[in-house]
Amino acid sequence: MEKIGVGLIGTGFMGKAHALAWNSVRPVFGDVPDVRLVHLGEANEELAQSKAAEFGFKKASGDWKRVIADPEVDVVSITTPNKFHLEMARAALAAGKHVWCEKPMAPKLAEAEEMLAAARASGKAAVLGYNYIQNPAIRHIRKLLDEGVIGTVNHVRIEMDEDFLADPEAPFQQRHEAINGWGALDDFGVHPLSLLHTLFGRVAKVMCDMAKPYPTRKTPDGEREVEVFDIATILLRLENGASGYIAVSRTAWGRKGRIAIQIFGARGSILYDQEKMNEFQLYLTADNPTEQGFRTVLSAPHHKPYDRFIPAAGHNLGFNDLKVIEFRQLIARMQGEPSVSIGFEEGILIERTIAAMARSFQQSKWTEVA
Amino acid sequence: MEKIGVGLIGTGFMGKAHALAWNSVRPVFGDVPDVRLVHLGEANEELAQSKAAEFGFKKASGDWKRVIADPEVDVVSITTPNKFHLEMARAALAAGKHVWCEKPMAPKLAEAEEMLAAARASGKAAVLGYNYIQNPAIRHIRKLLDEGVIGTVNHVRIEMDEDFLADPEAPFQQRHEAINGWGALDDFGVHPLSLLHTLFGRVAKVMCDMAKPYPTRKTPDGEREVEVFDIATILLRLENGASGYIAVSRTAWGRKGRIAIQIFGARGSILYDQEKMNEFQLYLTADNPTEQGFRTVLSAPHHKPYDRFIPAAGHNLGFNDLKVIEFRQLIARMQGEPSVSIGFEEGILIERTIAAMARSFQQSKWTEVA
Amino acid sequence: MEKIGVGLIGTGFMGKAHALAWNSVRPVFGDVPDVRLVHLGEANEELAQSKAAEFGFKKASGDWKRVIADPEVDVVSITTPNKFHLEMARAALAAGKHVWCEKPMAPKLAEAEEMLAAARASGKAAVLGYNYIQNPAIRHIRKLLDEGVIGTVNHVRIEMDEDFLADPEAPFQQRHEAINGWGALDDFGVHPLSLLHTLFGRVAKVMCDMAKPYPTRKTPDGEREVEVFDIATILLRLENGASGYIAVSRTAWGRKGRIAIQIFGARGSILYDQEKMNEFQLYLTADNPTEQGFRTVLSAPHHKPYDRFIPAAGHNLGFNDLKVIEFRQLIARMQGEPSVSIGFEEGILIERTIAAMARSFQQSKWTEVA
Amino acid sequence: MEKIGVGLIGTGFMGKAHALAWNSVRPVFGDVPDVRLVHLGEANEELAQSKAAEFGFKKASGDWKRVIADPEVDVVSITTPNKFHLEMARAALAAGKHVWCEKPMAPKLAEAEEMLAAARASGKAAVLGYNYIQNPAIRHIRKLLDEGVIGTVNHVRIEMDEDFLADPEAPFQQRHEAINGWGALDDFGVHPLSLLHTLFGRVAKVMCDMAKPYPTRKTPDGEREVEVFDIATILLRLENGASGYIAVSRTAWGRKGRIAIQIFGARGSILYDQEKMNEFQLYLTADNPTEQGFRTVLSAPHHKPYDRFIPAAGHNLGFNDLKVIEFRQLIARMQGEPSVSIGFEEGILIERTIAAMARSFQQSKWTEVA
């Protein structure tokens, strides 16, 4: 590949993040083809034109199908609401485009399975937007785990908490409808799972609880029952037998982007928190006994590919930089090279695990992940 | 009461802590009767004599029954292994002594119930050694909760982790035998429960998982199966419906005395960690929106009874100081005054909750606490 | 302005940061003219061509004068070693270009004064690369100070520490030569000063100490005397009479990008550390006395212009994002709008303060800043 | 010595701390003579009686001379205001008693010198109350420094900050009168110096600045000029040539008991903060480069004599425990054994350093410590 033509559908939170990342991937990494922002699709022509100008796309359409049909487009970024993912991804793959689709795959497992089938049929790269796994700190943690630095891992805990639904006085909104899934479980749960999959592999079985902190919400006319669960807690076992849990909440006042990971092994422990994404903590029994302690390791150029952004340690990457790394990995995948990424093949495992969690909750019992 | 005669049985970790605390409770608080260290009991006469001299007790016996029989003794501290608790507490109460017994009550629930019956029959103060609830920081958190400062609590998480059994190369020891109970569940689990009971009241139902990180341990001749579980994780619902969990581990490298509490309410959150026992964190939605954040509140004289130890804020109480506060509360209870303490009446609720957790694990299902 | 043509001279650490930021300023902010990467200059044609392709510049030259002469170029980014700043900035300004020059202005104060004269004569925007002042957290701190939230400030401390020269075994390098200035004083000291100027205004007088932790360094042939000082500590008084100090070190093992600020006022305090650039800490006496404490405020969309990068709180900006904000401010300045930036007019105050510090050290006495 | 008879003069903040510590030193350490609380002196008979009963002293006097004259008293704790130190210490030493006197020695250097002369003439143990040096964490830091774990130290910073005089609305009080000394310099400065002396030895020269954040204070009738300085900042050089500074403030809102130490060496760094007295941080270049970071080491039984208080790591000593350790060291000194303590011989060095700092401030120049 000498150049990569990019199509982008959607320009919200993630759409803008994609635009910024596509824009930066070449100047940051250098070793990639010429990336061209070709065609931007939005809900209507006017918005599409305005956003294309802002983000630097050459063409704009009020119909996403025109983006997919554009022969200059090699890869399509899909950042629309989840319910559109299947239709768009299938069309893009059928049109011979690589696909980059924001997580999760689709509201229903069956749809996600269809997406996987479409990806397999196309032979194109089909990747999901799990950006947290791209953090150099997380990558380095994986390296340490692979090298056995903390020995065999026997216990893992992940909490993911934010507070954007924590206000009980805030009115009923779309997010509170069951049509969007289970709530925190699928909205947040996929992120801890993406990290578990990246660091350890499959989850074997789960026992899930969910809770509704605020069972009703105000509407203009009165109040309405909240149909989703803003808190989920899941006991689990990894395939290697290690125990652990995932806890997720969208009503945790004060937590803004917390993804706190605790990993305990036979010879040490590792801690990480996404709110402090430029560091991790490491405890090693190999250290001198009277000076053992969790050391706070700041991200630095030797934690690849931090060096592509900044040549000095401790200077901080940002959330948007993770997307740039993600696209570098996507390009690797498009080029048939090894990559750290969650393609539809891996993503379906996450979706199936979520489905098993939901069944576990409904049946109130431990459930094997298919 | 003008004076209090103290008997102490046992002089290990907790026995020494008791001796230090009995010794300090009057100079610290001032407003209590004259506390006299009367009679110390140990496994044999020689050890008893030596420890009595060291700790300042007037008399010493190699037979604990002599301590209980001593007419100068008003209250007996029992700090022996759990299996002796029932016999000693029953005897002391029968002899008309107040009893202060280290937690947990007894290895079996039926024994604990017997202890409660003995306490009720005696009419004497019978209190358990739950020291963490005595921390001025914890007391202040309770006050904040009672005043509704963070609104209705809807989610609680408590982790208690240490690493004294984390080394897989360490040999098999008594602690690994089933005769001592379930492992982390009863050894550690009672502490988070004492905090839950103090802060919120009863646990309604539980779903418990346990894990053995190291299923076998070395013996001089070979190896032996570990019969207990060093990790337990328990999903739970409080009586008010709030969801939450307790996670305990004795194999968490790097954790030395961690009891991390996270409390989420409708108008704020509170965090606490026993490893940093002189502070807690508070997030309030009442704060100005652009300056909201967890504030770290250092223990200070206005967090009673910190002031009895130190007149200056931020100067740090220690673990042993909590025992002094505990004894002040015990004396209040002996005097028929209100006290923050876990007597046998409250302690039995903790024991029953542990029993429900164990049943839940055995039956692999949600279990109501009787 | 409908479009802005950018010229870039230099492609090292800062050169790349500039390229990335020019590239992103429009998609991030939206409300700016079309930014075009026009002409890149490097030491030779080949490197210039290669970097231009990588960074997305249309033209490339091995001679920086061609960049400046290019009529399509409206603004020139100068990221070459300090000794070239005067010549390049003067030429660019004389050619009617706006200038963006990395800090500090020039090795000698007289040169910096010349640069200022050239800027004044040209009437063009001439701005320096003080990126740390652009952090939304710092901007919000300034707002809080301006609003008097912590009352009148009476004491300020700033430490800036890194460890890239901390290894005593590392060989002698160019940085150790006196031709580069005083060492930590001018290399690092300008950053704390940029923050002091942004937050408080002028420094009135200074008392400076400098130290050489490693007076000699290895060379291939033997060893050589280190001519600069890797540590400087400066007592100071602000114009309003507040006392304080700046301490800077390039030999502080473990410090990677620390810029720790402590601000004490009559009604509260503010803390900040660049290593944790997405948060600041605030202590307010207006808080309820028993719950006063430093609160950790995470950067969020309401701390402008964080929202232009990410719509969710606590998700972290990175170091490179600060440059994007800086360029947005530069564009404002180019357009004659109010801006937060350190132009040559303000920059010269920093340079004069450094000069006063150096004199203070040489004469070992308190020295007024001219 | 088989037993130690204790006399105590004064029962304020420090007086109570002494009573508690004398009371606990034997049960904590075991290996010391029988400590008997013999005679308590206070300003009048009634207060003396009441406090003696509370603290467990056998006798009480309204005249301190009776305490000193008591033949059962072997050592006298002097915890009265500084202005009485000379008279009381001289009398006690002349009476053949060991002396334990709270820091600092005396308001004037000449008085302190007299105290030293009296101590030398008596041949008795004469020790000062510098409790922070007794922290097992500080002791372990000294051990690490002595062993060269972080290499030669070249830079040291100590900040000591509290906020008990931070409120500008608080009225004028005795502390604001010049008769009490310089203010923060002598009130606080002696603590950082005690740590410097313990960890590194003598200070060679100093350059001192002082500031008055609130130059006037309210009185019942109007307002009055504050005669002391609540902030002091001192540049310094240790005898080994290392540079550094001490900064002290009594008006630092939010700081409650901060004594923050930063020590930078050729192969690592050490950090400590008294507000988190149960931990220190260590950075070692000997660690694997990609995992270097400050490790937080929690105090534990292997940091002697933590084990005498608690057999489990990470369970926290308190401020009052430091006094117990201090008395164990005093007893060692009384017995002619090696001890970690600041006797009058060492204390006079601290006083002379303070005097040099004051001269430096008055003369506005670098000043050698005699």
Side-chain angles (χ1 to χ4, degrees):
Chain A
M1 273 190 297
E2 290 207 340
K3 61 183 176 58
I4 296 176
V6 174
L8 170 66
I9 309 177
T11 60
F13 182 174
M14 277 300 124
K16 182 170 180 175
H18 279 230
L20 289 171
W22 279 121
N23 201 38
S24 293
V25 64
R26 192 170 193 224
V28 167
F29 281 97
D31 62 350
V32 297
D34 187 11
V35 172
R36 297 182 183 189
L37 307 188
V38 173
H39 206 140
L40 181 149
E42 250 301 346
N44 62 64
E45 203 75 26
E46 196 183 340
L47 182 58
Q49 291 290 355
S50 139
K51 287 295 174 184
E54 203 172 309
F55 295 166
F57 280 78
K58 205 164 64 173
K59 304 176 225 174
S61 296
D63 177 359
W64 61 268
K65 289 180 181 157
R66 300 238 304 277
V67 176
I68 282 170
D70 190 325
E72 284 188 90
V73 166
D74 300 304
V75 56
V76 180
S77 271
I78 301 171
T79 70
T80 51
N82 304 347
K83 59 184 171 184
F84 299 118
H85 287 183
L86 169 59
E87 183 183 8
M88 291 177 176
R90 194 162 45 188
L93 289 162
K97 312 299 187 191
H98 301 286
V99 163
W100 190 101
C101 180
E102 263 306 325
K103 65 90 212 168
M105 292 179 80
K108 293 187 183 153
L109 183 57
E111 294 168 337
E113 302 277 6
E114 269 193 78
M115 287 170 73
L116 173 59
R120 282 184 177 154
S122 76
K124 291 290 166 182
V127 172
L128 294 158
Y130 287 106
N131 53 327
Y132 296 123
I133 65 168
Q134 301 296 347
N135 188 339
I138 293 291
R139 297 252 207 115
H140 195 71
I141 289 170
R142 189 170 83 157
K143 184 165 170 285
L144 295 175
L145 293 174
D146 289 349
E147 289 170 355
V149 169
I150 64 163
T152 304
V153 169
N154 53 62
H155 193 56
V156 181
R157 301 174 183 168
I158 306 187
E159 294 164 88
M160 178 166 177
D161 299 314
E162 300 193 12
D163 64 4
F164 62 91
L165 297 178
D167 185 357
E169 301 306 314
F172 190 94
Q173 49 175 286
Q174 270 201 335
R175 287 173 183 281
H176 297 123
E177 294 179 48
I179 198 165
N180 291 300
W182 289 96
L185 179 67
D186 30 10
D187 184 18
F188 274 17
V190 294
H191 284 298
L193 284 174
S194 75
L195 290 158
L196 279 182
H197 274 266
T198 302
L199 297 175
F200 302 107
R202 299 191 184 200
V203 172
K205 57 178 190 168
V206 294
M207 171 71 214
C208 174
D209 185 30
M210 297 197 223
K212 266 182 220 191
Y214 309 117
T216 60
R217 290 273 178 182
K218 283 180 195 153
T219 61
D221 317 316
E223 63 176 28
R224 185 169 158 189
E225 195 194 343
V226 170
E227 299 166 1
V228 299
F229 299 87
D230 287 327
I231 297 174
T233 319
I234 306 106
L235 307 181
L236 57 83
R237 297 300 174 104
L238 298 181
E239 282 213 327
N240 77 348
S243 68
Y245 63 77
I246 290 171
V248 293
S249 171
R250 306 189 295 190
T251 56
W253 274 123
R255 302 306 197 185
K256 305 300 178 183
R258 176 172 161 92
I259 307 180
I261 308 176
Q262 301 178 64
I263 303 168
F264 299 104
R267 289 199 299 274
S269 302
I270 294 174
L271 310 176
Y272 172 83
D273 180 355
Q274 178 66 24
E275 279 184 2
K276 300 185 176 180
M277 60 173 270
N278 284 280
E279 63 186 55
F280 67 93
Q281 292 190 75
L282 177 65
Y283 184 95
L284 293 180
T285 62
D287 285 345
N288 194 31
T290 52
E291 286 88 56
Q292 287 179 13
F294 279 101
R295 59 175 94 146
T296 301
V297 182
L298 301 183
S299 288
H302 43 228
H303 304 121
K304 304 293 172 185
Y306 177 103
D307 61 315
R308 299 308 308 164
F309 295 84
I310 313 167
H315 277 55
N316 291 285
L317 296 189
F319 176 83
N320 285 338
D321 294 329
L322 302 184
K323 220 67 189 171
V324 179
I325 304 175
E326 194 175 297
F327 285 166
R328 180 64 191 84
Q329 295 300 313
L330 167 61
I331 292 172
R333 198 150 170 153
M334 286 165 61
Q335 294 175 327
E337 293 159 9
S339 81
V340 176
S341 56
I342 293 187
F344 286 14
E345 294 85 354
E346 298 87 22
I348 200 73
L349 301 177
I350 293 175
E351 307 285 339
R352 287 175 194 153
T353 309
I354 294 289
M357 288 169 175
R359 280 201 311 279
S360 162
F361 172 66
Q362 288 174 300
Q363 302 173 1
S364 195
K365 68 175 193 190
W366 279 92
T367 302
E368 307 277 331
V369 178
Chain B
M1 272 190 298
E2 290 206 339
K3 61 184 174 60
I4 296 175
V6 174
L8 170 65
I9 309 177
T11 60
F13 180 173
M14 277 300 125
K16 183 171 181 175
H18 279 229
L20 289 170
W22 279 122
N23 202 37
S24 293
V25 66
R26 193 172 192 221
V28 167
F29 282 95
D31 63 351
V32 297
D34 187 11
V35 173
R36 298 184 182 185
L37 308 188
V38 172
H39 207 140
L40 180 149
E42 249 300 346
N44 61 64
E45 204 73 28
E46 196 183 342
L47 182 58
Q49 290 290 354
S50 137
K51 286 295 174 185
E54 204 172 309
F55 293 166
F57 280 78
K58 203 164 66 172
K59 306 176 223 174
S61 295
D63 177 359
W64 61 268
K65 290 179 181 160
R66 301 238 303 278
V67 175
I68 282 170
D70 190 326
E72 284 189 271
V73 166
D74 300 304
V75 55
V76 180
S77 270
I78 301 172
T79 71
T80 50
N82 305 346
K83 61 184 170 184
F84 300 118
H85 287 183
L86 168 59
E87 184 183 9
M88 291 176 176
R90 194 162 45 187
L93 289 162
K97 312 298 188 190
H98 300 287
V99 163
W100 191 100
C101 181
E102 263 307 325
K103 65 90 214 169
M105 294 179 79
K108 292 185 184 155
L109 183 56
E111 294 168 337
E113 301 277 7
E114 269 193 78
M115 287 170 72
L116 172 59
R120 282 182 176 156
S122 76
K124 291 291 165 180
V127 173
L128 294 159
Y130 287 105
N131 54 327
Y132 295 124
I133 66 168
Q134 302 296 347
N135 189 341
I138 293 291
R139 297 251 208 115
H140 195 72
I141 289 170
R142 190 170 83 157
K143 183 164 170 287
L144 295 175
L145 294 174
D146 288 350
E147 290 170 355
V149 170
I150 64 163
T152 303
V153 169
N154 53 62
H155 193 57
V156 181
R157 301 173 184 169
I158 306 187
E159 295 164 87
M160 178 167 177
D161 300 314
E162 299 193 12
D163 65 3
F164 61 90
L165 296 177
D167 184 358
E169 301 305 316
F172 190 95
Q173 49 174 286
Q174 271 201 334
R175 286 172 184 280
H176 297 122
E177 292 179 49
I179 198 163
N180 290 300
W182 290 96
L185 179 67
D186 30 10
D187 185 18
F188 274 16
V190 293
H191 284 297
L193 283 174
S194 74
L195 290 158
L196 279 182
H197 275 265
T198 302
L199 298 175
F200 302 106
R202 299 192 185 199
V203 172
K205 59 178 188 167
V206 293
M207 171 71 215
C208 174
D209 185 30
M210 297 197 222
K212 267 181 218 191
Y214 309 116
T216 61
R217 290 273 180 181
K218 283 180 195 155
T219 61
D221 317 316
E223 62 176 30
R224 186 170 156 187
E225 196 194 342
V226 170
E227 298 165 1
V228 299
F229 298 86
D230 288 326
I231 297 174
T233 319
I234 306 107
L235 307 180
L236 57 84
R237 295 300 173 105
L238 298 181
E239 282 211 328
N240 77 349
S243 68
Y245 62 77
I246 290 171
V248 292
S249 170
R250 308 189 293 191
T251 56
W253 274 124
R255 302 305 197 186
K256 305 300 179 184
R258 176 173 163 92
I259 306 179
I261 306 176
Q262 300 177 67
I263 303 168
F264 299 103
R267 290 200 299 273
S269 303
I270 294 175
L271 309 178
Y272 172 83
D273 180 356
Q274 177 65 27
E275 279 183 2
K276 299 184 176 180
M277 59 174 270
N278 285 280
E279 63 186 54
F280 67 93
Q281 293 189 75
L282 177 65
Y283 184 96
L284 294 179
T285 61
D287 285 345
N288 194 30
T290 52
E291 288 87 58
Q292 285 179 15
F294 280 102
R295 60 176 93 145
T296 301
V297 182
L298 300 184
S299 288
H302 41 228
H303 305 120
K304 304 292 172 185
Y306 177 102
D307 61 315
R308 299 308 308 164
F309 295 84
I310 312 167
H315 277 56
N316 291 285
L317 297 188
F319 176 84
N320 286 338
D321 295 328
L322 302 184
K323 219 70 190 169
V324 179
I325 304 175
E326 194 175 297
F327 284 166
R328 180 65 192 85
Q329 295 300 314
L330 167 61
I331 291 170
R333 199 151 172 153
M334 286 164 61
Q335 294 175 327
E337 294 159 6
S339 82
V340 176
S341 56
I342 293 187
F344 287 14
E345 294 84 356
E346 297 87 22
I348 200 74
L349 301 177
I350 293 174
E351 306 285 338
R352 286 176 196 153
T353 310
I354 294 288
M357 289 169 174
R359 280 201 312 281
S360 162
F361 171 67
Q362 288 174 302
Q363 301 172 3
S364 197
K365 67 174 191 191
W366 279 92
T367 301
E368 307 277 331
V369 178
Chain C
M1 272 192 295
E2 291 206 337
K3 61 184 175 60
I4 296 176
V6 174
L8 170 66
I9 309 177
T11 60
F13 180 173
M14 277 301 124
K16 183 171 181 175
H18 280 228
L20 289 171
W22 280 122
N23 201 37
S24 293
V25 66
R26 195 176 190 218
V28 166
F29 282 96
D31 63 349
V32 296
D34 187 11
V35 173
R36 299 185 180 184
L37 309 188
V38 172
H39 206 140
L40 180 149
E42 250 301 346
N44 61 65
E45 204 74 27
E46 195 183 341
L47 181 57
Q49 290 290 355
S50 138
K51 287 295 175 184
E54 205 171 308
F55 294 167
F57 279 77
K58 204 165 63 171
K59 305 176 224 174
S61 296
D63 177 359
W64 61 268
K65 290 178 181 160
R66 301 238 303 277
V67 175
I68 283 171
D70 190 328
E72 285 189 89
V73 166
D74 300 305
V75 55
V76 180
S77 269
I78 301 172
T79 71
T80 51
N82 305 346
K83 61 184 170 184
F84 299 118
H85 287 182
L86 168 59
E87 184 183 7
M88 291 176 175
R90 194 162 44 188
L93 289 162
K97 313 299 188 189
H98 301 286
V99 163
W100 191 101
C101 180
E102 264 306 326
K103 63 91 214 169
M105 294 179 79
K108 292 186 184 154
L109 183 56
E111 294 167 337
E113 303 278 4
E114 269 193 77
M115 288 170 72
L116 172 59
R120 281 183 176 154
S122 76
K124 291 290 167 179
V127 172
L128 293 159
Y130 287 105
N131 53 327
Y132 296 123
I133 65 169
Q134 302 296 348
N135 189 340
I138 292 291
R139 296 251 208 116
H140 195 71
I141 290 170
R142 190 170 82 157
K143 184 165 169 287
L144 295 175
L145 293 173
D146 287 350
E147 291 170 355
V149 170
I150 64 163
T152 304
V153 169
N154 53 62
H155 193 56
V156 181
R157 301 173 184 169
I158 307 188
E159 295 163 87
M160 177 166 178
D161 299 313
E162 300 193 11
D163 65 3
F164 63 90
L165 295 177
D167 184 357
E169 301 305 315
F172 189 95
Q173 49 175 283
Q174 271 200 333
R175 286 173 184 280
H176 297 122
E177 293 179 48
I179 199 163
N180 292 299
W182 288 96
L185 179 67
D186 30 10
D187 184 18
F188 274 17
V190 292
H191 285 296
L193 284 174
S194 74
L195 291 157
L196 279 182
H197 275 265
T198 301
L199 299 175
F200 302 106
R202 298 193 185 197
V203 172
K205 59 177 188 167
V206 294
M207 172 70 215
C208 173
D209 185 29
M210 298 197 221
K212 267 182 218 191
Y214 309 117
T216 61
R217 291 272 178 181
K218 284 179 196 155
T219 61
D221 316 316
E223 62 176 28
R224 187 170 157 187
E225 196 194 342
V226 170
E227 298 165 2
V228 298
F229 299 86
D230 288 326
I231 297 174
T233 319
I234 305 107
L235 307 180
L236 57 83
R237 296 299 173 105
L238 298 180
E239 282 211 328
N240 77 349
S243 68
Y245 61 79
I246 290 171
V248 292
S249 170
R250 307 189 293 191
T251 57
W253 274 123
R255 302 306 197 186
K256 305 299 179 185
R258 176 173 164 90
I259 306 179
I261 307 176
Q262 300 178 65
I263 303 168
F264 299 103
R267 290 199 299 274
S269 303
I270 295 174
L271 309 177
Y272 173 83
D273 181 355
Q274 177 66 26
E275 280 183 3
K276 301 184 175 180
M277 60 172 271
N278 284 280
E279 63 186 55
F280 67 93
Q281 293 189 75
L282 177 66
Y283 184 96
L284 294 180
T285 62
D287 286 344
N288 194 30
T290 52
E291 288 87 58
Q292 285 179 15
F294 280 102
R295 57 176 96 145
T296 301
V297 182
L298 301 184
S299 288
H302 42 228
H303 305 120
K304 306 289 172 184
Y306 178 102
D307 61 315
R308 300 307 309 164
F309 295 85
I310 312 167
H315 277 55
N316 291 284
L317 297 188
F319 176 84
N320 285 337
D321 294 330
L322 302 185
K323 220 69 190 170
V324 179
I325 303 175
E326 194 174 296
F327 284 166
R328 180 65 192 83
Q329 295 300 313
L330 168 60
I331 291 170
R333 199 153 172 150
M334 287 164 60
Q335 294 175 327
E337 294 159 7
S339 81
V340 176
S341 57
I342 294 188
F344 287 14
E345 294 85 357
E346 298 87 22
I348 200 73
L349 301 177
I350 293 175
E351 308 284 337
R352 286 175 195 153
T353 309
I354 294 288
M357 289 169 174
R359 280 201 311 280
S360 163
F361 171 66
Q362 287 174 302
Q363 301 172 3
S364 195
K365 67 174 192 191
W366 279 92
T367 301
E368 307 277 331
V369 178
Chain D
M1 273 191 296
E2 291 207 337
K3 60 184 175 57
I4 296 175
V6 174
L8 170 65
I9 309 176
T11 60
F13 181 174
M14 277 301 125
K16 183 170 181 176
H18 279 229
L20 289 171
W22 279 122
N23 201 36
S24 293
V25 65
R26 195 176 190 216
V28 166
F29 282 97
D31 62 350
V32 296
D34 188 10
V35 173
R36 299 184 181 185
L37 308 188
V38 173
H39 207 139
L40 181 148
E42 249 302 346
N44 62 63
E45 204 73 27
E46 196 183 340
L47 181 58
Q49 290 291 355
S50 139
K51 288 295 174 184
E54 204 172 309
F55 295 166
F57 279 77
K58 205 165 63 171
K59 306 176 223 174
S61 297
D63 177 359
W64 61 267
K65 288 180 182 157
R66 300 239 302 277
V67 175
I68 282 170
D70 190 327
E72 285 189 273
V73 166
D74 300 305
V75 57
V76 180
S77 270
I78 302 171
T79 71
T80 51
N82 304 346
K83 59 183 171 184
F84 300 119
H85 287 183
L86 168 58
E87 184 183 8
M88 291 176 175
R90 194 162 44 188
L93 289 162
K97 313 298 189 190
H98 301 286
V99 164
W100 191 100
C101 181
E102 263 307 325
K103 64 91 213 167
M105 294 179 81
K108 292 187 184 152
L109 183 56
E111 294 168 337
E113 302 277 5
E114 269 193 76
M115 287 170 73
L116 173 59
R120 282 185 176 152
S122 76
K124 293 288 166 181
V127 172
L128 294 159
Y130 287 106
N131 53 327
Y132 296 123
I133 66 168
Q134 301 297 347
N135 188 340
I138 293 291
R139 296 253 208 114
H140 195 71
I141 290 170
R142 189 171 83 157
K143 184 165 170 288
L144 294 175
L145 293 174
D146 288 349
E147 290 170 355
V149 169
I150 63 162
T152 304
V153 169
N154 52 63
H155 193 57
V156 181
R157 301 173 184 169
I158 307 187
E159 294 163 89
M160 177 165 177
D161 300 314
E162 299 193 12
D163 64 3
F164 62 92
L165 296 177
D167 185 356
E169 301 306 314
F172 190 94
Q173 50 175 284
Q174 271 201 334
R175 287 173 183 281
H176 297 122
E177 293 179 48
I179 198 164
N180 291 299
W182 289 96
L185 179 67
D186 30 9
D187 184 19
F188 274 16
V190 293
H191 285 297
L193 283 175
S194 75
L195 291 158
L196 278 183
H197 275 266
T198 302
L199 298 175
F200 302 107
R202 300 192 184 198
V203 172
K205 58 178 189 168
V206 295
M207 172 71 214
C208 174
D209 186 30
M210 299 198 221
K212 267 182 219 191
Y214 309 118
T216 62
R217 291 272 178 182
K218 284 179 195 155
T219 61
D221 316 316
E223 63 176 26
R224 185 170 158 188
E225 195 194 342
V226 170
E227 298 165 1
V228 299
F229 298 86
D230 288 326
I231 297 174
T233 319
I234 307 106
L235 307 180
L236 57 83
R237 295 300 173 104
L238 298 180
E239 281 213 328
N240 77 349
S243 68
Y245 62 77
I246 290 172
V248 292
S249 170
R250 306 189 295 191
T251 56
W253 274 124
R255 302 306 198 186
K256 304 300 178 183
R258 175 173 163 92
I259 306 179
I261 308 175
Q262 302 178 65
I263 304 168
F264 299 103
R267 290 200 297 274
S269 303
I270 294 174
L271 309 177
Y272 173 83
D273 181 355
Q274 178 66 25
E275 278 183 4
K276 300 185 176 180
M277 61 172 271
N278 284 279
E279 64 185 55
F280 66 94
Q281 293 190 75
L282 177 65
Y283 184 96
L284 294 180
T285 61
D287 286 344
N288 194 30
T290 51
E291 287 87 58
Q292 286 179 15
F294 280 101
R295 58 174 96 146
T296 301
V297 182
L298 301 183
S299 289
H302 43 229
H303 304 120
K304 304 292 172 184
Y306 177 103
D307 60 315
R308 299 308 308 165
F309 295 84
I310 313 167
H315 277 55
N316 291 285
L317 296 189
F319 177 83
N320 286 338
D321 295 328
L322 302 184
K323 221 66 189 172
V324 179
I325 304 176
E326 193 174 296
F327 285 166
R328 179 65 191 85
Q329 295 300 313
L330 167 61
I331 292 171
R333 199 151 171 152
M334 286 164 62
Q335 294 175 328
E337 294 159 7
S339 81
V340 176
S341 57
I342 294 188
F344 287 13
E345 295 85 354
E346 298 87 22
I348 200 73
L349 301 177
I350 293 174
E351 307 286 337
R352 287 176 195 153
T353 309
I354 294 289
M357 289 169 173
R359 280 200 311 279
S360 162
F361 172 66
Q362 288 174 300
Q363 301 173 2
S364 197
K365 68 174 192 189
W366 279 92
T367 301
E368 306 278 330
V369 178

